[in-house]
Amino acid sequence: MSGAWYLGWRYLAFHKLKSSILIASITLMLFLPTAIRVLVSDSAAALTARADQTPLLLGAAGSPLELVLNSLYFHAGEPTTILNDTLATIQATGLGEFIPLNTRFRSRNNPIVGTTLDYFKFRDLKIADGRQFGMLGECVLGATAAAQQGVGSGDYVISSPETVFDIAGVYPLRMKVAGILEPNSSADDDAIFVDIRTSWIIQGLGHGHQDLARPAAGTAVLSSKNGMITANASLHQYPEITTDNVLEFHFHGDNSTFPLTSIIAVPPDNKSGTLLRGRYLSNNEGLQMVMPSVVLNDLLDTVFVVQNYVILGLTMLALATVAVIMLVFLLSQQLRRGEFHTLSRIGASRRYIGLLVASELTFVFVGSLLLATLLIFIMKQYALQILQGFLSF
Amino acid sequence: MNNGNYSRLVLGLLTCLALLACGKTENAQSKSAKTASAANERPIIVASNYPLFYFAGQIIGESVVGLQAEFPQIAGDPANWVPSAEQIQFMQTADLLLLNGAGYESWLAWVTLDRDHQVDTSAGFSEQLIDLDETSTHQHGPEGEHAHQGVAFTTWLDPQLAIKQAAVIEEALTALEPERAESFRANLSRLRSRLEELDHDMASTFIQLQDRAILFSHPVYQYLQHRYKLNGRSLHWEPNIEPGTSEWINLQKTLGEHPANIILWENEPLASTTARLSEMGVRSIVFRTASNRSDQGDYFDILADNIKRLRTAIN
């Protein structure tokens, strides 16, 4: 390092506080607008990645955004439902694979997602501990849900009643945790997955109780006539499904009328997708088919407008910071007049002194640039976790 | 700070950047290794009863290395099977789950399996399925009554229906391994010939009964009865359980209306039951349904033994 550069470096090293403040200011000036751009674009990418991975959604007619948010992020409080029969109808078209979802219920703050095994393949969800749910009453938990509930495979979680006043309504179901999923950095981490039929049992559409034809039913039998047994209200219903009582669980009513909150449609090609969308364009069956990516892009357009305003503000702030830094430098030159005079007297030329000042500026700006780059790089690595922490999706 | 310190600072920054970049590359490499190992695995084929397992094995043949059908270890009649968690987990890994259908797999109502991999081998002849006579109805609460009813499921006792089921298996196997289609077709053809031969043997045996009344110890012979036009009636007797007084009284009544002198059993009945039936002039013949693995031989061996015993009894 030549003399002027070395002297510049030593000057900054000696005035640590002043140098640090300068570097921190310039680092923040460079980091903030870029960080906002990175966070917004990463959050947009995270949102659209899940939406892009979900070609089509079929749900009840109404708000497309609500349908997408509920099906992709399990956010809606009480989602509107469609009939299970809709699944059979759309499957009969042969225009793709169809995955039913029933996301109405929760266990504490975690959504209970009733679905089929196809969902796990579709989202590429892997079991980290335990096994996949294999029977009614079993569940697998996302990594975050397991941590929040404080359970592991072999433990139990209980479905929450929809309201505290729902005394005569749905009984909580105690569900065995069959396995825990690997972290997926998506809404699936927060969810509790069950067989779609288990979600109907939670809803009270199916239940299990002792065999009324056996003498053990005793006082629970109100009447028995011509092979038809009527039970009274004292009939004990099982709060948990086990291998011992699973054969006594059954559903009442026509299961084609049971509810689904949405159906994920995965057509094999664009033509099938277009045909599927065409089928539900008329909306005369109280249904709507949406492309989640289109719905979310509409939402993101608004986010990007807000982002541009924020960046404009930060740019103006950055210009002000540059002006202040220049002022600090100019003022410091006045204070260092004696130092420059001494240098001049011991033989330093004006050019040499100019180089000394320029070296100090260069060190400050290059140091800030490197620090800002490092911060942006680190933030980019952890952007998704940061976003999840703030936005919980 | 001297020159050394300055160099160390720059080196430190560069190392941080390099480490962060490496993390992503390692993840990508381990992911692609996992995918490669999964691609090397052979398809898993699981059958829900012994006849389907046997037919699948015959159609696959011995030439296809590594491809074989699996049939879980089931104690007793597979119709009453309650799969364990491990067995369910195994079935979830199946690429092809061969089901008898006709309500045979009652466990499907509470087990979670991939629907796309399930093949109902009797779905193609649903109009030929025989309704069960019995229906039990119960009611509780305001939801109204509900009934449990179904159809007979021992379809494989009718060789013509068995041929149809075997054809469905061949179709499913061909979809799974299209490059083996020729071999599967040839093996199915051989299996069909053997089933035709079995059908002929059974027909020539049962025809000797003419219109003689016979009894079935259990309602599992509906397709046999329908195929060979047997004049039979079903009881609800288990071979390993001594019939109670009411059963004997009911049998007396049945024999009054339906004077049978032969009763077909799914398995060897108790000696005391056989003796008492003999006293009543009813001869016990074991006619196994071959629904599960047996030390008596394969599907054809078991049915051939059934025919042999029946012929001996008739003659």
Side-chain angles (χ1 to χ4, degrees), chain A residues 34-103:
Chain A
T34 320
I36 286 173
R37 271 201 185 280
V38 167
L39 277 177
V40 169
S41 67
D42 276 15
S43 60
L47 275 167
T48 51
R50 199 163 164 83
D52 289 342
Q53 198 203 11
T54 314
L56 293 167
L57 278 174
L58 179 64
S63 160
L65 185 61
E66 193 179 310
L67 173 63
V68 171
L69 290 179
N70 177 49
S71 303
L72 268 56
Y73 307 105
F74 320 126
H75 269 185
E78 193 169 327
T80 47
T81 58
I82 56 176
L83 298 179
N84 184 34
D85 188 34
T86 314
L87 178 66
T89 309
I90 198 169
Q91 275 172 335
T93 63
L95 291 171
E97 286 183 25
F98 304 96
I99 304 164
L101 293 175
N102 189 15
T103 60

Side-chain angles (χ1 to χ4, degrees), chain B residues 80-265:
Chain B
N80 303 323
W81 184 37
V82 177
S84 65
E86 291 73 26
Q87 287 171 323
I88 295 169
Q89 211 178 342
F90 177 63
M91 286 195 285
Q92 285 179 340
T93 63
D95 297 279
L96 200 57
L97 183 58
L98 301 172
L99 303 173
N100 188 72
Y104 185 76
E105 293 84 7
S106 56
W107 41 267
L108 277 178
W110 53 270
V111 164
T112 305
L113 293 171
D114 198 330
R115 287 180 69 93
D116 294 343
H117 297 164
Q118 297 174 24
V119 176
D120 182 345
T121 57
S122 63
F125 53 86
S126 54
E127 72 290 347
Q128 287 179 263
L129 298 178
I130 299 169
D131 287 328
L132 290 174
D133 297 334
E134 302 134 32
T135 301
S136 82
T137 309
H138 69 269
Q139 175 184 2
H140 43 82
E143 299 100 334
E145 66 182 57
H146 66 273
H148 299 281
Q149 55 192 359
V151 290
F153 49 67
T154 49
T155 48
W156 61 90
L157 289 181
D158 176 347
Q160 291 303 327
L161 295 184
I163 287 171
K164 290 182 181 177
Q165 290 184 284
V168 174
I169 295 171
E170 186 264 341
E171 206 174 297
L173 287 170
T174 302
L176 198 64
E177 298 256 300
E179 67 276 19
R180 315 274 183 200
E182 200 60 45
S183 159
F184 294 153
R185 212 170 10 253
N187 291 337
L188 173 67
S189 176
R190 273 192 286 278
L191 178 63
R192 185 184 284 123
S193 304
R194 292 185 72 188
L195 285 167
E196 293 281 8
E197 200 181 319
L198 173 71
D199 187 28
H200 179 262
D201 287 351
M202 293 227 275
S204 63
T205 305
F206 282 118
I207 205 161
Q208 293 174 45
L209 284 172
Q210 295 168 338
D211 200 33
R212 273 164 68 181
I214 63 168
L215 289 173
F216 305 119
S217 65
H218 218 77
V220 290
Y221 298 102
Q222 296 90 340
Y223 294 99
L224 196 75
Q225 183 177 7
H226 180 262
R227 172 74 189 147
Y228 304 108
K229 299 181 175 54
L230 304 179
N231 180 17
R233 277 201 194 178
S234 289
L235 307 176
H236 272 92
W237 289 17
E238 298 292 344
N240 57 343
I241 296 173
E242 184 86 52
T245 309
S246 61
E247 273 91 12
W248 289 112
I249 293 169
N250 286 337
L251 176 65
Q252 286 285 9
K253 281 185 195 164
T254 305
L255 287 174
E257 301 161 3
H258 186 76
N261 56 8
I262 286 175
I263 179 168
L264 301 189
W265 290 89

Side-chain angles (χ1 to χ4, degrees), chain A residues 136-285:
Chain A
L136 300 184
E138 286 188 341
C139 59
V140 294
L141 272 67
T144 313
Q148 286 169 347
Q149 299 262 349
V151 294
S153 54
D155 294 336
Y156 291 85
V157 292
I158 301 175
S159 66
S160 307
E162 285 187 298
T163 68
V164 288
F165 306 108
D166 190 19
I167 297 164
V170 176
Y171 286 90
L173 184 69
R174 190 168 181 252
M175 297 174 287
K176 187 177 181 182
V177 179
I180 309 293
L181 296 169
E182 285 177 5
N184 183 251
S185 301
S186 74
D188 297 325
D189 286 347
D190 294 317
I192 296 171
F193 294 95
V194 296
D195 188 299
I196 190 90
R197 294 167 295 176
T198 303
S199 71
W200 292 332
I201 288 174
I202 294 170
Q203 194 164 345
L205 298 169
H207 62 189
H209 53 76
Q210 63 202 117
D211 187 350
L212 293 169
R214 289 183 190 163
T219 53
V221 176
L222 194 64
S223 68
S224 179
K225 202 175 176 183
N226 299 330
M228 192 174 79
I229 304 165
T230 307
N232 59 36
S234 72
L235 178 68
H236 172 69
Q237 294 189 25
Y238 302 125
E240 179 188 341
I241 307 173
T242 66
T243 45
D244 294 330
N245 68 21
V246 69
L247 297 176
E248 289 163 35
F249 269 81
H250 52 270
F251 291 92
H252 287 252
D254 178 4
N255 78 358
S256 66
T257 63
F258 290 177
L260 301 175
T261 49
S262 60
I263 297 168
I264 297 173
V266 191
D269 47 48
N270 286 339
K271 187 185 169 191
S272 305
T274 311
L275 286 171
L276 275 173
R277 288 170 62 202
R279 279 174 184 266
Y280 295 97
L281 267 183
S282 57
N283 190 26
N284 53 6
E285 296 165 32

